[in-house]
Amino acid sequence: MAFLEFRVDGEKVLSRNLRIIADDVWDMQKELWQIGELVRVSARENIDRGWSETGGKWKPLSQRTQEMRAKGRWYYRNAPSGASASGPILKWTWKMQNAFKSEPESLQVTISNPTLYFKYHQSKERDSGRLPRRLMLELSQTDKMQAMSILAKWLNKKLAWWNYGRQF
């Protein structure tokens, strides 16, 4: 029996039993790459919007951050085009938005972001009370449906090739 599971920050987001014989299910790297890209694009869209489906609208920037931005202090000395003291959130250098990586293997795909502060915004278990939780990497209902569709197409091809006749 094959099993499909999506986890985000250790939390089970989607779990499905795929009622097929899994002996020949050994390499779905192409399909998992497509799913990885889907999730990467979704994370970037969440940053652009400033909210996520289950995380809701993000908290505004703190007063301290707004003051630092307005004065051009420390990290905020080189203001990007279109930036102000109050926004955009998480898009000052675009480092985090552009750092999402998708690493597909034969039976799993890992989506990560090596930016040091990403984990503090994303994590459910919070070590730092300074940074508010801002869910970027999240599977929306649409993402889940599209991921299942990608896998269903692959499984249908396999089932037709195996001549099982049953399709999803």
Side-chain angles (χ1 to χ4, degrees):
M1 184 84 51
F3 190 73
L4 172 69
E5 185 173 275
F6 288 99
R7 289 186 177 271
V8 176
D9 191 23
E11 187 175 326
K12 198 182 297 183
V13 176
L14 176 67
S15 177
R16 292 286 184 270
N17 235 346
L18 304 174
R19 293 181 178 94
I20 63 166
I21 299 169
D23 293 340
D24 290 327
V25 178
W26 56 273
D27 189 7
M28 301 188 312
Q29 193 164 0
K30 179 182 165 196
E31 290 72 21
L32 292 173
W33 179 85
Q34 291 174 336
I35 291 170
E37 289 304 301
L38 170 87
V39 175
R40 277 177 18 116
V41 167
S42 180
R44 290 181 62 137
E45 288 172 353
N46 287 341
I47 292 172
D48 284 342
R49 287 191 312 252
W51 61 273
S52 61
E53 196 170 279
T54 59
K57 187 169 172 47
W58 295 345
K59 288 184 179 180
L61 296 171
S62 71
Q63 186 64 37
R64 181 172 181 261
T65 300
Q66 290 185 39
E67 289 169 5
M68 288 174 57
R69 280 183 167 198
K71 293 176 183 176
R73 298 262 166 100
W74 186 58
Y75 177 78
Y76 302 106
R77 68 178 167 260
N78 299 319
S81 176
S84 70
S86 61
I89 298 173
L90 299 181
K91 294 196 288 189
W92 194 262
T93 64
W94 297 83
K95 284 182 184 176
M96 187 159 35
Q97 187 176 25
N98 294 326
F100 284 98
K101 293 193 291 188
S102 172
E103 300 170 48
E105 296 176 30
S106 59
L107 293 175
Q108 73 177 28
V109 60
T110 303
I111 295 100
S112 62
N113 190 314
T115 310
L116 295 175
Y117 44 92
F118 168 75
K119 63 184 175 183
Y120 298 111
H121 284 294
Q122 181 72 27
S123 179
K124 191 173 189 175
E125 278 74 41
R126 317 262 311 137
D127 292 336
S128 168
R130 289 181 44 202
L131 294 176
R133 187 168 193 214
R134 294 185 170 120
L135 283 174
M136 294 157 268
L137 193 57
E138 176 189 46
L139 291 171
S140 67
Q141 282 304 115
T142 304
D143 296 335
K144 292 175 191 178
M145 297 290 286
Q146 289 177 338
M148 290 301 291
S149 175
I150 290 167
L151 292 177
K153 287 177 188 173
W154 179 82
L155 287 170
N156 283 334
K157 285 182 193 174
K158 284 289 185 186
L159 289 172
W161 185 77
W162 290 329
N163 201 18
Y164 280 119
R166 179 174 174 222
Q167 300 207 341
F168 291 92

